Amino acid sequence: IIFSILLTLGMVSCKKDENQVMFEGGTAPVLTASASTINLAFANADNQAVKLSWTNPDYRFNTGISSHDVNYVVEIDIAGAGFNSANKQSVAVSRDLTVAFTIGQFNDYLLNQLLLVPGVPRDVEVRVKASMGTLGAGTLYSNVLRYTVTPYAIPPKVTPPASGKLYI
């Protein structure tokens, strides 16, 4: 009986010491761009189309500012789709606060991912999604930038014959 009483008292008197870390939130990133327009032309495919920059979301916990790695995804979608279209382009950017796209890259996203028609102007929207870890905890979205773009058709590549002369 005495052993049972001591065992019960020992279990009741134990206090669990722990420091619970609680997520308190963060600040949505502010997205800015190096250009207000994006002009697409095959002749300039290797030139920079736009450089995007955004602020750190400063994720906070009750123990202070987070030291976790933040994952960023640049999302490009057709205007008005709310970044919910099946063809939305998502470009992962790990830990950097900037990313630059060449004209060729941006045109490729428009043609092959968003499936836009070459030569037809369309409005597209760009934003940044920030999250912590691989599970996407604490997801925050930046402001949206809007561009009117006209994708170009990529000219066919023709290999000249061995003679060096091509007849059409």
Side-chain angles (χ1 to χ4, degrees):
I1 294 176
I2 294 174
F3 179 72
S4 297
I5 293 172
L6 290 175
L7 183 63
T8 304
L9 285 174
M11 289 176 59
V12 173
S13 66
C14 290
K15 179 182 170 190
K16 187 174 185 179
D17 290 332
E18 65 180 308
N19 183 12
Q20 292 186 347
V21 178
M22 304 294 283
F23 177 65
E24 292 181 343
T27 307
V30 176
L31 178 63
T32 58
S34 64
S36 58
T37 60
I38 299 176
N39 297 316
L40 303 175
F42 179 73
N44 301 326
D46 293 330
N47 295 348
Q48 181 175 290
V50 67
K51 181 178 182 180
L52 303 174
S53 303
W54 53 91
T55 59
N56 189 326
D58 292 327
Y59 286 110
R60 291 179 310 280
F61 292 88
N62 61 342
T63 57
I65 293 178
S66 171
S67 62
H68 293 5
D69 287 335
V70 179
N71 299 316
Y72 300 103
V73 176
V74 175
E75 297 179 329
I76 306 168
D77 203 359
I78 298 168
F83 296 94
N84 292 319
S85 73
N87 298 332
K88 171 182 72 176
Q89 174 67 44
S90 298
V91 180
V93 181
S94 60
R95 299 185 209 134
D96 289 333
L97 296 175
T98 61
V99 67
F101 296 110
T102 65
I103 290 172
Q105 283 176 311
F106 206 82
N107 190 68
D108 183 57
Y109 297 152
L110 299 176
L111 291 177
N112 298 322
Q113 187 65 34
L114 293 176
L115 305 176
L116 300 183
V117 178
V120 178
R122 289 293 301 264
D123 290 336
V124 296
E125 296 177 330
V126 179
R127 74 175 178 185
V128 172
K129 178 174 83 169
S131 61
M132 290 185 303
T134 57
L135 300 176
T139 301
L140 295 171
Y141 296 96
S142 74
N143 54 307
V144 175
L145 300 179
R146 188 178 198 143
Y147 292 99
T148 300
V149 293
T150 305
Y152 59 84
I154 299 171
K157 294 180 183 177
V158 179
T159 305
S163 67
K165 296 182 180 181
L166 180 63
Y167 297 96
I168 297 179

